Amino acid sequence: MAHAALASSVALLPFHRVSGGGSKWVKLIPGLSRKQGTYLSFSRSSKREGCRFVASGAMGIDGGVAEVSEGEKAPTRYSWPDKKRPRVCILGGGFGGLYTALRLESLVWPDSKKPQVLLVDQSERFVFKPMLYELLSGEVEEWEIAPRFTDLLASTGIQFFQDRVKLLHPLDHLGINAPPGSGSGGTVQLESGLLVEYDWLVLALGAEPKLDVVPGAAEYALPFSTLEDALKVDNKLKALERRKFGKGSEIRVAVVGCGYSGVELAATISERLQERGIVTAINVETTICPTAPPGNREVAMKVLSSRKVQLLLGYFVRNIRKSRDAEESFYFRRNSEDPEMRKESGTAKGFEAEDDVEKLILELQPAQRGLQSQILEADLVLWTVGSKPSLPDLEPWDTPHELPLTARGQAETDETLRVKGHPRIFALGDSSALRDSDGKILPATAQVAFQQADFTGWNLWAAINDRPLLPFRFQNLGEMMTLGRNDAAISPSFIDGLTVEGPVGHAARKFAYLIRLPTDEHRIKVGMSWLAKSAIDSVASLQSTLTRVLSG
């Protein structure tokens, strides 16, 4: 943790560009001045030499919170445009955070109570994650599913900072009846050094892949969770396609995990590679998509089988490492139970050295009785198993007021989505743990985050206007999965047993996601783009058909 320092002079940080009615610059004012109602406590730190000062303001907008230690510089305090209107800080710009901000913008407010909204995210782009697979298949362009926040929020009053959250200091234990603007909510310190006071806080920081559970996974496996991940996988596939072109050797891709993400990845990549590669999907359970509706699971199995995706079910990965040399690669091919691998062993010694240096070796351990250990060779390993919430750390001296967390690291909330014990903090999406009517924790899916954002926005309106808050009730609308450029599976909840698949399911899924894009302006742009692409594809298909007919 970094502490603020007492210094004779403090330099301003560079201005932060924000959006809100167009591009503008907000001046940041360095703070930590002693105002009325602010108290200083003095203690000696056991972790470092010298003394430590803690400044905490429960009253006054300039109070704020910062810890001051000798030898470090003071944080820069963010100056909200209006000193009287409520201040809402939203951490995370995914489905939960961005859609909560847009919901707040759409509600009708009394002039004196319309909140100032600050959205903070580490990326400059919002990412519509359910459609990252379409980047690999070439169906969509980056701007369509990953627009910049500044573009999305240009016509709103929402301000955006691209930054990372460092420390959180909640102060709502001091009382929830303090008037807006009192600083009673708490503060957030960002990695840039910016200190943001808030009246209301929304935690929607999502989750990050958990790669530290298997030796070698963090070094050699690629996750598929962010736009950067998708672009990295796409670039790796392009490099392998160039390197293997015309050599007669196949590209081998291993996908670890057969939940929705793993199955969608395996289906998309197998369609892209076709005869040029082999995709192997590994799952610890003996079935794919164990939580999916039976119809979706059956359609996925049919598609994977038709594309010759190899399924290794009932196995977990013990470790991942690089192949040491060409001889080891030849040995594993020759001793593999896969006949295709054994067939290639005769030519393995003839492979160029550069093809073998990059090989990865996965050691698989059986999770079910009756199975034997396996050794798998791959050019690319994709990891879709496990995630951990990205909640910020608290000030170390905040121990009595820590956020209640589950074993998985999610904040425990009540049914109104407020964090237990912290009435001015809301949490949703991957950041929260909320149980449904059956007592099960709601899954961390886009559908849940969409609906929670709607309720969070409304409950913030209710809290600011002294109205009763609504309990969140999840409505399962069904489940969708993509299986390639013209394949998908949809099981709507309102018709029991119905599963829409193939081109019809694919078109229905794209339309459902089109209307879920964040703003009307962006929906219109993307809709026109997709319509133009569809027309071009239809003309190309017609020309190809006519050519085949005319040629006999």
Side-chain angles (χ1 to χ4, degrees):
M1 159 193 168
H3 302 284
L6 291 174
S8 57
S9 63
V10 182
L12 281 173
L13 285 181
F15 293 163
H16 285 244
R17 189 175 182 180
V18 302
S19 66
S23 242
K24 60 183 179 180
W25 295 86
V26 173
K27 193 173 183 181
L28 307 178
I29 304 174
L32 204 61
S33 57
R34 265 187 94 174
K35 299 291 182 181
Q36 186 175 3
T38 302
Y39 64 89
L40 288 174
S41 64
F42 170 81
S43 65
R44 187 168 297 275
S45 173
S46 60
K47 293 185 179 180
R48 57 176 63 85
E49 296 179 1
C51 301
R52 183 176 71 175
F53 295 90
V54 176
S56 179
M59 296 190 299
I61 194 168
D62 295 323
V65 178
E67 190 172 337
V68 186
S69 65
E70 199 171 349
E72 298 176 3
K73 66 179 183 180
T76 302
R77 190 182 308 280
Y78 170 62
S79 179
W80 292 87
D82 194 301
K83 301 294 183 181
K84 296 181 179 179
R85 291 194 290 125
R87 304 164 296 180
V88 177
C89 182
I90 300 176
L91 304 181
F95 291 120
L98 176 63
Y99 285 67
T100 295
L102 293 174
R103 176 63 168 156
L104 287 171
E105 183 75 9
S106 69
L107 294 171
V108 178
W109 296 86
D111 290 338
S112 62
K113 290 190 175 182
K114 183 175 182 179
Q116 306 163 88
V117 180
L118 175 63
L119 179 66
V120 180
D121 194 88
Q122 64 185 7
S123 172
E124 67 171 349
R125 294 175 181 269
F126 163 74
V127 182
F128 201 92
K129 290 186 177 183
M131 299 198 75
L132 282 176
Y133 311 96
E134 278 81 346
L135 277 180
L136 300 184
S137 65
E139 288 183 74
V140 302
E141 298 177 40
E142 185 177 329
W143 70 269
E144 294 172 341
I145 64 165
R148 287 182 171 85
F149 284 108
T150 50
D151 295 333
L152 290 175
L153 304 176
S155 60
T156 72
I158 302 166
Q159 302 177 59
F160 170 70
F161 282 168
Q162 183 182 350
D163 210 333
R164 291 175 180 267
V165 182
K166 184 177 182 181
L167 290 172
L168 176 64
H169 183 179
L171 289 176
D172 47 1
H173 59 277
L174 298 178
I176 67 171
N177 296 320
S182 67
S184 63
T187 60
V188 174
Q189 185 174 342
L190 306 179
E191 285 194 356
S192 63
L194 186 66
L195 191 68
V196 180
E197 287 181 316
Y198 64 83
D199 297 310
W200 305 91
L201 181 69
V202 177
L203 298 176
L205 289 163
E208 57 188 26
K210 194 172 183 180
L211 295 171
D212 56 357
V213 293
V214 171
E219 294 83 1
Y220 304 121
L222 296 181
F224 195 82
S225 176
T226 66
L227 176 64
E228 291 72 22
D229 294 338
L231 295 177
K232 189 179 295 184
V233 172
D234 185 49
N235 290 333
K236 180 66 174 178
L237 286 171
K238 288 177 180 176
L240 288 169
E241 288 164 344
R242 288 194 300 267
R243 197 173 71 184
K244 300 282 188 176
F245 182 76
K247 293 185 178 181
S249 58
E250 293 177 313
I251 300 169
R252 294 184 175 273
V253 178
V255 179
V256 182
C258 289
Y260 266 110
S261 181
V263 169
E264 289 175 304
L265 263 181
T268 301
I269 294 176
S270 62
E271 182 186 54
R272 170 173 171 165
L273 297 179
Q274 297 183 5
E275 300 300 324
R276 295 171 298 166
I278 296 177
V279 177
T280 303
I282 307 158
N283 202 36
V284 69
E285 300 194 41
T286 56
T287 184
I288 65 170
C289 300
T291 61
N296 278 13
R297 188 162 54 247
E298 291 170 7
V299 172
M301 281 294 297
K302 181 174 66 176
V303 171
L304 295 180
S305 299
S306 67
R307 294 182 189 159
K308 299 180 181 179
V309 174
Q310 299 176 350
L311 295 176
L312 290 178
L313 304 179
Y315 286 93
F316 65 87
V317 179
R318 189 165 65 181
N319 66 67
I320 305 173
R321 57 184 173 82
K322 274 191 175 182
S323 174
R324 287 187 291 271
D325 51 38
E327 289 299 323
E328 183 182 67
S329 176
F330 170 75
Y331 171 81
F332 285 131
R333 277 199 181 93
R334 187 160 189 170
N335 290 276
S336 172
E337 295 182 0
D338 183 359
E340 291 295 325
M341 276 183 141
R342 289 200 301 269
K343 184 172 68 176
E344 291 179 6
S345 65
T347 57
K349 290 184 177 180
F351 285 177
E352 293 184 13
E354 66 176 20
D355 287 333
D356 291 293
V357 169
E358 299 296 327
K359 297 291 183 184
L360 297 173
I361 303 300
L362 293 85
E363 296 184 16
L364 308 182
Q365 191 76 17
Q368 305 289 332
R369 291 184 178 180
L371 299 176
Q372 296 181 347
S373 299
Q374 295 261 9
I375 299 291
L376 183 66
E377 186 182 81
D379 299 292
L380 175 62
V381 178
L382 302 178
W383 194 269
T384 68
V385 180
S387 63
K388 51 186 176 182
S390 305
L391 288 176
D393 294 330
L394 296 181
E395 293 278 5
W397 41 278
D398 268 351
T399 304
H401 315 293
E402 286 183 350
L403 301 181
L405 302 179
T406 65
R408 188 172 176 265
Q410 296 171 299
E412 294 184 0
T413 62
D414 61 22
E415 59 180 5
T416 66
L417 298 175
R418 290 192 298 188
V419 176
K420 293 180 179 179
H422 292 272
R424 286 182 177 260
I425 302 178
F426 290 81
L428 65 159
D430 294 284
S431 296
S432 72
L434 183 65
R435 299 184 182 274
D436 59 18
S437 56
D438 297 328
K440 298 180 180 179
I441 292 182
L442 292 173
T445 63
Q447 182 181 179
V448 172
F450 282 140
Q451 297 183 31
Q452 287 182 333
D454 197 38
F455 272 77
T456 301
W458 174 261
N459 281 342
L460 277 166
W461 181 95
I464 292 171
N465 288 283
D466 297 321
R467 302 290 183 85
L469 277 61
L470 296 177
F472 174 71
R473 295 291 182 266
F474 173 62
Q475 294 183 342
N476 186 6
L477 303 177
E479 298 186 20
M480 303 187 293
M481 63 193 309
T482 182
L483 298 168
R485 289 185 66 92
N486 287 296
D487 277 303
I490 301 178
S491 294
S493 62
F494 50 84
I495 303 179
D496 190 33
L498 174 65
T499 300
V500 183
E501 59 180 294
V504 175
H506 181 266
R509 177 180 176 273
K510 287 191 73 172
F511 179 75
Y513 283 148
L514 176 64
I515 63 178
R516 279 294 191 179
L517 291 176
T519 65
D520 292 337
E521 182 181 1
H522 189 63
R523 277 192 289 270
I524 293 172
K525 290 180 180 178
V526 173
M528 293 177 65
S529 175
W530 288 357
L531 188 62
K533 290 176 186 177
S534 178
I536 294 172
D537 290 343
S538 298
V539 171
S541 178
L542 179 60
Q543 288 177 337
S544 177
T545 302
L546 289 175
T547 301
R548 288 197 301 268
V549 171
L550 294 175
S551 64

